[in-house]
PDB file of all heavy atoms in Angstrom:
ATOM      1  N   VAL A  57     112.459  87.794 128.384  1.00  0.00           N
ATOM      2  CA  VAL A  57     112.958  88.484 127.183  1.00  0.00           C
ATOM      3  C   VAL A  57     111.860  88.442 126.123  1.00  0.00           C
ATOM      4  O   VAL A  57     111.364  87.364 125.806  1.00  0.00           O
ATOM      5  CB  VAL A  57     114.192  87.748 126.594  1.00  0.00           C
ATOM      6  CG1 VAL A  57     114.768  88.528 125.415  1.00  0.00           C
ATOM      7  CG2 VAL A  57     115.239  87.489 127.660  1.00  0.00           C
ATOM      8  N   ASP A  58     111.490  89.587 125.581  1.00  0.00           N
ATOM      9  CA  ASP A  58     110.575  89.608 124.431  1.00  0.00           C
ATOM     10  C   ASP A  58     111.445  89.837 123.202  1.00  0.00           C
ATOM     11  O   ASP A  58     111.953  90.944 122.999  1.00  0.00           O
ATOM     12  CB  ASP A  58     109.530  90.710 124.575  1.00  0.00           C
ATOM     13  CG  ASP A  58     108.460  90.615 123.483  1.00  0.00           C
ATOM     14  OD1 ASP A  58     108.745  90.022 122.421  1.00  0.00           O
ATOM     15  OD2 ASP A  58     107.349  91.146 123.707  1.00  0.00           O
ATOM     16  N   MET A  59     111.627  88.781 122.415  1.00  0.00           N
ATOM     17  CA  MET A  59     112.607  88.887 121.318  1.00  0.00           C
ATOM     18  C   MET A  59     112.002  89.389 120.009  1.00  0.00           C
ATOM     19  O   MET A  59     112.628  89.263 118.950  1.00  0.00           O
ATOM     20  CB  MET A  59     113.377  87.571 121.122  1.00  0.00           C
ATOM     21  CG  MET A  59     112.574  86.383 120.697  1.00  0.00           C
ATOM     22  SD  MET A  59     113.663  84.992 120.227  1.00  0.00           S
ATOM     23  CE  MET A  59     114.304  85.555 118.655  1.00  0.00           C
ATOM     24  N   HIS A  60     110.818  90.020 120.082  1.00  0.00           N
ATOM     25  CA  HIS A  60     110.241  90.567 118.840  1.00  0.00           C
ATOM     26  C   HIS A  60     109.348  91.759 119.161  1.00  0.00           C
ATOM     27  O   HIS A  60     108.152  91.591 119.447  1.00  0.00           O
ATOM     28  CB  HIS A  60     109.442  89.473 118.110  1.00  0.00           C
ATOM     29  CG  HIS A  60     108.994  89.851 116.742  1.00  0.00           C
ATOM     30  ND1 HIS A  60     108.933  88.951 115.698  1.00  0.00           N
ATOM     31  CD2 HIS A  60     108.575  91.035 116.220  1.00  0.00           C
ATOM     32  CE1 HIS A  60     108.497  89.563 114.613  1.00  0.00           C
ATOM     33  NE2 HIS A  60     108.257  90.832 114.914  1.00  0.00           N
ATOM     34  N   VAL A  61     109.950  92.959 119.181  1.00  0.00           N
ATOM     35  CA  VAL A  61     109.170  94.183 119.429  1.00  0.00           C
ATOM     36  C   VAL A  61     109.555  95.242 118.404  1.00  0.00           C
ATOM     37  O   VAL A  61     110.633  95.203 117.820  1.00  0.00           O
ATOM     38  CB  VAL A  61     109.401  94.741 120.861  1.00  0.00           C
ATOM     39  CG1 VAL A  61     109.113  93.698 121.918  1.00  0.00           C
ATOM     40  CG2 VAL A  61     110.813  95.284 121.034  1.00  0.00           C
ATOM     41  N   HIS A  62     108.643  96.196 118.203  1.00  0.00           N
ATOM     42  CA  HIS A  62     108.899  97.331 117.309  1.00  0.00           C
ATOM     43  C   HIS A  62     108.851  98.604 118.147  1.00  0.00           C
ATOM     44  O   HIS A  62     107.799  98.939 118.695  1.00  0.00           O
ATOM     45  CB  HIS A  62     107.825  97.401 116.220  1.00  0.00           C
ATOM     46  CG  HIS A  62     107.805  96.185 115.333  1.00  0.00           C
ATOM     47  ND1 HIS A  62     108.540  96.094 114.178  1.00  0.00           N
ATOM     48  CD2 HIS A  62     107.149  94.995 115.450  1.00  0.00           C
ATOM     49  CE1 HIS A  62     108.337  94.913 113.610  1.00  0.00           C
ATOM     50  NE2 HIS A  62     107.494  94.223 114.357  1.00  0.00           N
ATOM     51  N   PHE A  63     110.002  99.290 118.264  1.00  0.00           N
ATOM     52  CA  PHE A  63     110.032 100.517 119.068  1.00  0.00           C
ATOM     53  C   PHE A  63     109.964 101.794 118.234  1.00  0.00           C
ATOM     54  O   PHE A  63     109.919 102.884 118.794  1.00  0.00           O
ATOM     55  CB  PHE A  63     111.269 100.536 119.977  1.00  0.00           C
ATOM     56  CG  PHE A  63     111.082  99.768 121.268  1.00  0.00           C
ATOM     57  CD1 PHE A  63     112.107  99.673 122.196  1.00  0.00           C
ATOM     58  CD2 PHE A  63     109.882  99.141 121.558  1.00  0.00           C
ATOM     59  CE1 PHE A  63     111.938  98.977 123.388  1.00  0.00           C
ATOM     60  CE2 PHE A  63     109.701  98.423 122.744  1.00  0.00           C
ATOM     61  CZ  PHE A  63     110.740  98.345 123.661  1.00  0.00           C
ATOM     62  N   ARG A  64     110.013 101.701 116.921  1.00  0.00           N
ATOM     63  CA  ARG A  64     109.745 102.849 116.018  1.00  0.00           C
ATOM     64  C   ARG A  64     110.717 104.008 116.175  1.00  0.00           C
ATOM     65  O   ARG A  64     110.395 105.130 115.769  1.00  0.00           O
ATOM     66  CB  ARG A  64     108.325 103.389 116.241  1.00  0.00           C
ATOM     67  CG  ARG A  64     107.218 102.365 116.348  1.00  0.00           C
ATOM     68  CD  ARG A  64     107.076 101.528 115.122  1.00  0.00           C
ATOM     69  NE  ARG A  64     105.823 100.776 115.115  1.00  0.00           N
ATOM     70  CZ  ARG A  64     105.611  99.746 114.314  1.00  0.00           C
ATOM     71  NH1 ARG A  64     106.549  99.328 113.480  1.00  0.00           N
ATOM     72  NH2 ARG A  64     104.461  99.107 114.342  1.00  0.00           N
ATOM     73  N   ASP A  65     111.855 103.763 116.805  1.00  0.00           N
ATOM     74  CA  ASP A  65     112.797 104.841 117.104  1.00  0.00           C
ATOM     75  C   ASP A  65     114.150 104.449 116.522  1.00  0.00           C
ATOM     76  O   ASP A  65     114.722 103.439 116.973  1.00  0.00           O
ATOM     77  CB  ASP A  65     112.874 104.989 118.637  1.00  0.00           C
ATOM     78  CG  ASP A  65     113.713 106.160 119.098  1.00  0.00           C
ATOM     79  OD1 ASP A  65     114.497 106.691 118.298  1.00  0.00           O
ATOM     80  OD2 ASP A  65     113.603 106.509 120.294  1.00  0.00           O
ATOM     81  N   PRO A  66     114.662 105.159 115.497  1.00  0.00           N
ATOM     82  CA  PRO A  66     114.220 106.459 115.020  1.00  0.00           C
ATOM     83  C   PRO A  66     113.114 106.375 113.949  1.00  0.00           C
ATOM     84  O   PRO A  66     112.900 105.326 113.378  1.00  0.00           O
ATOM     85  CB  PRO A  66     115.500 107.024 114.391  1.00  0.00           C
ATOM     86  CG  PRO A  66     116.203 105.816 113.851  1.00  0.00           C
ATOM     87  CD  PRO A  66     115.914 104.714 114.851  1.00  0.00           C
ATOM     88  N   GLY A  67     112.481 107.522 113.742  1.00  0.00           N
ATOM     89  CA  GLY A  67     111.630 107.699 112.571  1.00  0.00           C
ATOM     90  C   GLY A  67     110.147 107.799 112.820  1.00  0.00           C
ATOM     91  O   GLY A  67     109.463 108.584 112.177  1.00  0.00           O
ATOM     92  N   PHE A  68     109.636 106.972 113.723  1.00  0.00           N
ATOM     93  CA  PHE A  68     108.182 107.004 113.968  1.00  0.00           C
ATOM     94  C   PHE A  68     107.930 107.151 115.463  1.00  0.00           C
ATOM     95  O   PHE A  68     107.105 106.435 116.039  1.00  0.00           O
ATOM     96  CB  PHE A  68     107.521 105.722 113.454  1.00  0.00           C
ATOM     97  CG  PHE A  68     107.841 105.385 112.024  1.00  0.00           C
ATOM     98  CD1 PHE A  68     108.749 104.382 111.702  1.00  0.00           C
ATOM     99  CD2 PHE A  68     107.230 106.089 110.987  1.00  0.00           C
ATOM    100  CE1 PHE A  68     109.060 104.072 110.384  1.00  0.00           C
ATOM    101  CE2 PHE A  68     107.527 105.782 109.658  1.00  0.00           C
ATOM    102  CZ  PHE A  68     108.448 104.775 109.357  1.00  0.00           C
ATOM    103  N   GLU A  69     108.634 108.109 116.069  1.00  0.00           N
ATOM    104  CA  GLU A  69     108.563 108.242 117.536  1.00  0.00           C
ATOM    105  C   GLU A  69     107.165 108.640 118.004  1.00  0.00           C
ATOM    106  O   GLU A  69     106.865 108.508 119.193  1.00  0.00           O
ATOM    107  CB  GLU A  69     109.597 109.253 118.034  1.00  0.00           C
ATOM    108  CG  GLU A  69     111.050 108.827 117.859  1.00  0.00           C
ATOM    109  CD  GLU A  69     111.641 109.234 116.519  1.00  0.00           C
ATOM    110  OE1 GLU A  69     110.867 109.585 115.589  1.00  0.00           O
ATOM    111  OE2 GLU A  69     112.880 109.203 116.394  1.00  0.00           O
ATOM    112  N   TYR A  70     106.316 109.114 117.088  1.00  0.00           N
ATOM    113  CA  TYR A  70     104.943 109.444 117.511  1.00  0.00           C
ATOM    114  C   TYR A  70     104.164 108.177 117.894  1.00  0.00           C
ATOM    115  O   TYR A  70     103.153 108.262 118.597  1.00  0.00           O
ATOM    116  CB  TYR A  70     104.204 110.239 116.425  1.00  0.00           C
ATOM    117  CG  TYR A  70     103.945 109.470 115.158  1.00  0.00           C
ATOM    118  CD1 TYR A  70     102.730 108.810 114.957  1.00  0.00           C
ATOM    119  CD2 TYR A  70     104.913 109.384 114.161  1.00  0.00           C
ATOM    120  CE1 TYR A  70     102.497 108.101 113.793  1.00  0.00           C
ATOM    121  CE2 TYR A  70     104.683 108.669 113.000  1.00  0.00           C
ATOM    122  CZ  TYR A  70     103.476 108.028 112.825  1.00  0.00           C
ATOM    123  OH  TYR A  70     103.246 107.303 111.681  1.00  0.00           O
ATOM    124  N   LYS A  71     104.633 106.988 117.457  1.00  0.00           N
ATOM    125  CA  LYS A  71     103.957 105.736 117.827  1.00  0.00           C
ATOM    126  C   LYS A  71     104.561 105.158 119.113  1.00  0.00           C
ATOM    127  O   LYS A  71     103.872 104.619 119.963  1.00  0.00           O
ATOM    128  CB  LYS A  71     104.145 104.679 116.738  1.00  0.00           C
ATOM    129  CG  LYS A  71     103.685 105.043 115.338  1.00  0.00           C
ATOM    130  CD  LYS A  71     104.025 103.878 114.403  1.00  0.00           C
ATOM    131  CE  LYS A  71     103.982 104.233 112.937  1.00  0.00           C
ATOM    132  NZ  LYS A  71     102.988 103.482 112.187  1.00  0.00           N
ATOM    133  N   GLU A  72     105.887 105.182 119.190  1.00  0.00           N
ATOM    134  CA  GLU A  72     106.633 104.648 120.343  1.00  0.00           C
ATOM    135  C   GLU A  72     108.060 105.136 120.192  1.00  0.00           C
ATOM    136  O   GLU A  72     108.555 105.260 119.069  1.00  0.00           O
ATOM    137  CB  GLU A  72     106.636 103.105 120.300  1.00  0.00           C
ATOM    138  CG  GLU A  72     107.064 102.420 121.599  1.00  0.00           C
ATOM    139  CD  GLU A  72     105.917 102.289 122.604  1.00  0.00           C
ATOM    140  OE1 GLU A  72     105.546 103.312 123.225  1.00  0.00           O
ATOM    141  OE2 GLU A  72     105.385 101.166 122.747  1.00  0.00           O
ATOM    142  N   ASP A  73     108.707 105.451 121.313  1.00  0.00           N
ATOM    143  CA  ASP A  73     110.138 105.715 121.234  1.00  0.00           C
ATOM    144  C   ASP A  73     110.827 104.779 122.227  1.00  0.00           C
ATOM    145  O   ASP A  73     110.160 103.989 122.901  1.00  0.00           O
ATOM    146  CB  ASP A  73     110.458 107.207 121.476  1.00  0.00           C
ATOM    147  CG  ASP A  73     109.936 107.704 122.805  1.00  0.00           C
ATOM    148  OD1 ASP A  73     109.922 106.918 123.772  1.00  0.00           O
ATOM    149  OD2 ASP A  73     109.540 108.886 122.893  1.00  0.00           O
TER     150      ASP A  73
END
Side-chain angles (χ1 to χ4, degrees):
V57 184
D58 188 337
M59 64 170 287
H60 189 144
V61 305
H62 298 269
F63 277 179
R64 315 299 194 196
D65 186 343
F68 308 104
E69 293 89 344
Y70 66 95
K71 303 177 196 242
E72 195 83 285
D73 57 34

